[in-house]
Amino acid sequence: MIKLHDLQFIPFITEDEIIVAIDKISEKLNKDFADKTPLFISVLNGAFMFTSEVIKRFNHDCEVTFVKLSSYQGTKTTHQVQQLIGLEENISDRDVIILEDIVDTGNTIEVLSNILKDKGCTTFKIATLFFKSEVYTKQINIDYLGIDIPNRFIVGYGLDYNGLGRNLTEVYQLKSNTMTNLVLFGPPGAGKGTQAEVLKQKYDLIHISTGDVFRYNIKNATDLGTLAKSYIDKGQLVPDEVTINMLNAEVDKNPDAKGFIFDGFPRTEDQADSLAKLLASKGSEVSAMVALEVEDEVLVQRLLERGKTSGRPDDADERIIRNRIKVYYNETAILKNYYQKQDKYFGVDGVGAIDEITERLSNTIDSL
Ligand code: IMP
Ligand code: MG
């Protein structure tokens, strides 16, 4: 998360994704304008970074010029576009390509296209790195489109919030809500289930246990459940995409949730990336990975004790117990590292009375 002026922004589009989009646009431009000498008109300020990337990739003769238009104040469009730097070139019979960082309502593009028409340029093309198709109100065709984004305020890669953020090489979106999303971890026997239940009540969170979600979808033969079952029946792992779609459906069922406790997911870095994407699409993010820490010997004793009454065969055999604990540490090590890099990993001492442990967890959650 980053802060610009008074607002918080969370990661949204990676540099890699942006580069892929720019490569694609540039490839098409190189093809379409191979035997021409186009004039690129870059719309300042936001388009400077996109412009430089496109121009670097353009392999034929070309010219570049700039106009400066402005319509945004803070995070809102004013619907009035001002021309701050005009166009000096003769463009009447040029092959013009407008380079925009982002097309939102399309007001800017409309004003600019009128300016071009007034100057006798009738056939120009428009290339934009980002496009908010949901809010675009104009008929003007966008010829080269990088990435279509939902109606969110973004910064980075040339785009700013009141002057700041243009230098970011990734795109961030305005953090739109204050959800608390926890990824809860704990080795078998750490009391994860118990604590999840308490935290869910205390913070009014929705507990999403991947195991439960799977069982629910399979039992009710939902499309995704049936799909998942087809893999399970063949003894194959359910692809991440299917799992994430199920989680997405769970998240969508609770549009007003104050947050979620994810339990049993993610297990891999890829899954953690998918979860980040899923939450980003809701304008949110993982707040913390919280892991209950309990020594192996204590876990073994607890589980053996539980095995005496639970009837679970995997709780009765010490060798199986130790192996389950080992598997847990192998799996979580990767994620611990992943979330530690984002300063989101919190280990919490899981030994003591239930309410003592809840208090430790609460201290962590309250500090987020
Ligand atoms: P439009 O006139 O509504 O299409 O808006 C176009 C201009 O508004 C862009 O060139 C940007 O300068 C600015 N703009 C639109 N959306 C955003 C955003 O999400 N972040 C930053 N600037 C934006
Ligand atoms: Mg602009």
Side-chain angles (χ1 to χ4, degrees):
M1 193 193 59
I2 54 161
K3 197 159 184 257
L4 300 174
H5 298 295
D6 55 328
L7 297 181
Q8 294 181 333
F9 294 84
I10 54 176
F12 186 32
I13 303 171
T14 64
E15 189 170 8
D16 284 350
E17 291 168 311
I18 298 170
I19 297 297
V20 167
I22 295 176
D23 283 343
K24 212 178 68 196
I25 291 178
S26 303
E27 203 178 303
K28 282 195 203 131
L29 289 172
N30 268 314
K31 247 189 227 139
D32 296 351
F33 292 87
D35 50 357
K36 304 184 173 125
T37 303
L39 172 66
F40 286 100
I41 302 181
S42 170
V43 187
L44 292 174
N45 290 333
F48 72 92
M49 211 179 269
F50 174 53
T51 301
S52 124
E53 294 305 315
V54 168
I55 299 300
K56 280 193 277 181
R57 286 166 177 75
F58 194 72
N59 303 324
H60 316 284
D61 283 350
C62 66
E63 291 178 40
V64 188
T65 189
F66 298 88
V67 289
K68 183 163 177 169
L69 303 171
S70 172
S71 67
Y72 256 63
Q73 238 155 37
T75 63
K76 297 268 170 332
T77 178
T78 61
H79 294 286
Q80 269 166 10
V81 182
Q82 286 184 318
Q83 188 174 175
L84 305 172
I85 295 178
L87 205 55
E88 254 109 63
E89 287 74 5
N90 175 11
I91 53 166
S92 59
D93 44 34
R94 296 296 306 266
D95 290 297
V96 166
I97 304 161
I98 298 173
L99 294 179
E100 259 288 23
D101 47 342
I102 187 163
V103 175
D104 183 337
T105 61
N107 287 331
T108 309
I109 278 298
E110 184 170 62
V111 169
L112 185 55
S113 70
N114 287 335
I115 296 173
L116 295 186
K117 280 179 196 152
D118 283 348
K119 288 181 177 282
C121 175
T122 47
T123 58
F124 49 85
K125 301 284 181 200
I126 301 171
T128 186
L129 180 53
F130 302 109
F131 183 43
K132 298 185 190 169
S133 60
E134 284 173 11
V135 288
Y136 187 62
T137 56
K138 311 295 176 191
Q139 300 305 317
I140 305 166
N141 187 46
I142 307 294
D143 305 279
Y144 303 89
L145 169 60
I147 301 174
D148 198 332
I149 61 165
N151 186 19
R152 304 250 170 74
F153 187 75
I154 61 171
V155 292
Y157 221 85
L159 289 103
D160 72 309
Y161 165 52
N162 280 349
L164 297 185
R166 296 195 195 276
N167 55 326
L168 300 166
T169 56
E170 307 205 321
V171 163
Y172 289 71
Q173 63 169 320
L174 185 61
K175 192 173 168 190
S176 66
N177 60 32
T178 50
M179 275 170 31
T180 304
N181 297 308
L182 307 175
V183 169
L184 186 60
F185 269 92
K192 193 168 55 121
T194 310
Q195 294 298 334
E197 207 47 45
V198 180
L199 294 178
K200 174 181 143 183
Q201 302 289 341
K202 181 165 178 189
Y203 291 95
D204 198 7
L205 304 176
I206 309 285
H207 181 200
I208 297 187
S209 146
T210 323
D212 290 346
V213 173
F214 265 109
R215 280 184 287 275
Y216 170 86
N217 277 278
I218 291 173
K219 185 163 160 256
N220 291 284
T222 65
D223 288 351
L224 286 167
T226 310
L227 185 58
K229 191 168 179 296
S230 72
Y231 289 97
I232 295 168
D233 287 348
K234 279 180 268 175
Q236 294 168 353
L237 282 177
V238 178
D240 283 353
E241 202 196 322
V242 178
T243 310
I244 203 83
N245 284 341
M246 280 192 209
L247 294 186
N248 202 2
E250 286 303 308
V251 170
D252 281 345
K253 275 185 205 163
N254 301 283
D256 302 322
K258 297 218 174 88
F260 296 90
I261 301 175
F262 294 96
D263 179 352
F265 192 92
R267 286 266 162 81
T268 62
E269 268 189 46
D270 279 351
Q271 291 183 349
D273 284 339
S274 302
L275 182 61
K277 277 226 159 70
L278 190 165
L279 291 172
S281 75
K282 320 281 172 208
S284 194
E285 63 178 344
V286 168
S287 319
M289 169 180 178
V290 185
L292 287 170
E293 293 172 341
V294 181
E295 271 170 52
D296 289 5
E297 294 319 308
V298 177
L299 294 173
V300 172
Q301 288 319 311
R302 278 190 194 172
L303 287 173
L304 285 173
E305 201 53 42
R306 188 169 87 181
K308 286 181 190 161
T309 52
S310 75
R312 278 177 62 165
D314 58 344
D315 279 354
D317 184 329
E318 185 170 334
R319 263 196 13 247
I320 296 179
I321 291 175
R322 287 194 187 275
N323 193 51
R324 280 162 64 204
I325 297 173
K326 210 176 97 197
V327 168
Y328 168 81
Y329 283 112
N330 287 344
E331 274 184 355
T332 36
I334 306 161
L335 292 164
K336 180 173 175 180
N337 192 13
Y338 179 97
Y339 285 115
Q340 241 163 4
K341 276 193 226 147
Q342 304 177 14
D343 287 326
K344 287 182 181 173
Y345 175 85
F346 298 89
V348 174
D349 180 4
V351 182
I354 291 176
D355 52 355
E356 276 170 12
I357 300 167
T358 304
E359 196 181 318
R360 288 180 208 137
L361 287 166
S362 303
N363 288 340
T364 298
I365 296 168
D366 294 341
S367 74
L368 295 174

